[in-house]
Every structure is written in structure tokens, then in C-alpha cells.
């Protein structure tokens, strides 16, 4: 929740977004209070990023996110 950006080993560089090989789409998952919140699968990396931000804003009420 307090992390500024993606993990150093992230291939996308976007927190909460990864490549889902089986579907061939971008997958959004946000972890909060020990629970993974699945945001869906997206064709576009920009759409996946927007959804990850939307979920983080809903869950992390103490620090609203507007970017990665």
C-alpha cells in the first residue's frame, strides 16, 4: 500500500499489472490486507494501468494514486 512504484523486477514497470501468458492479456491484481483483488484482463497496457489505479484508489484511502 505504501509502495511508490512497481517491484524492481517488474517487467511492465506498473504496480499491480502483469502479463497473463495463458490468455495473452494484461492482468490486474492489487494486494490489500492479505487479499488479492483481481481487476480483470485487458488487451491494452494503458487500460490495465487505469484499472489498477482505480482499484488502489478504492482500497488505499490514505493515499490516492493518480499514476503508476
Amino acid at each position: 500500500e505504501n509502495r511508490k512504484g512497481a517491484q524492481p523486477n517488474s517487467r511492465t514497470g506498473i504496480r499491480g499489472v502483469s502479463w497473463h501468458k495463458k490468455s495473452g492479456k494484461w492482468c490486474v491484481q492489487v494486494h490489500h490486507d492479505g487479499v488479492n483483488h483481481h481487476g480483470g484482463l485487458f488487451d491494452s497496457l494503458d487500460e490495465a494501468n487505469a484499472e489498477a489505479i482505480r482499484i488502489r484508489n478504492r482500497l488505499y484511502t490514505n493515499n490516492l494514486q493518480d499514476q503508476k
Side-chain angles (χ1 to χ4, degrees):
E1 181 170 341
N2 296 318
R3 187 177 300 267
K4 295 271 186 206
Q7 293 276 38
N9 63 346
S10 170
R11 291 184 181 185
T12 64
I14 299 172
R15 188 171 58 157
V17 178
S18 60
W19 181 250
H20 190 263
K21 189 186 272 188
K22 194 170 186 177
S23 69
K25 297 184 181 214
W26 298 104
C27 177
V28 174
Q29 289 189 25
V30 177
H31 189 79
H32 180 65
D33 286 341
V35 177
N36 266 335
H37 298 267
H38 182 67
L41 298 170
F42 298 87
D43 292 321
S44 159
L45 186 57
D46 289 334
E47 290 174 332
N49 183 34
E51 180 63 11
I53 290 169
R54 189 186 72 74
I55 292 171
R56 285 195 306 270
N57 283 339
R58 189 183 76 224
L59 296 173
Y60 305 162
T61 57
N62 65 328
N63 60 340
L64 292 179
Q65 304 289 313
D66 60 347
Q67 300 210 0
K68 296 180 188 176

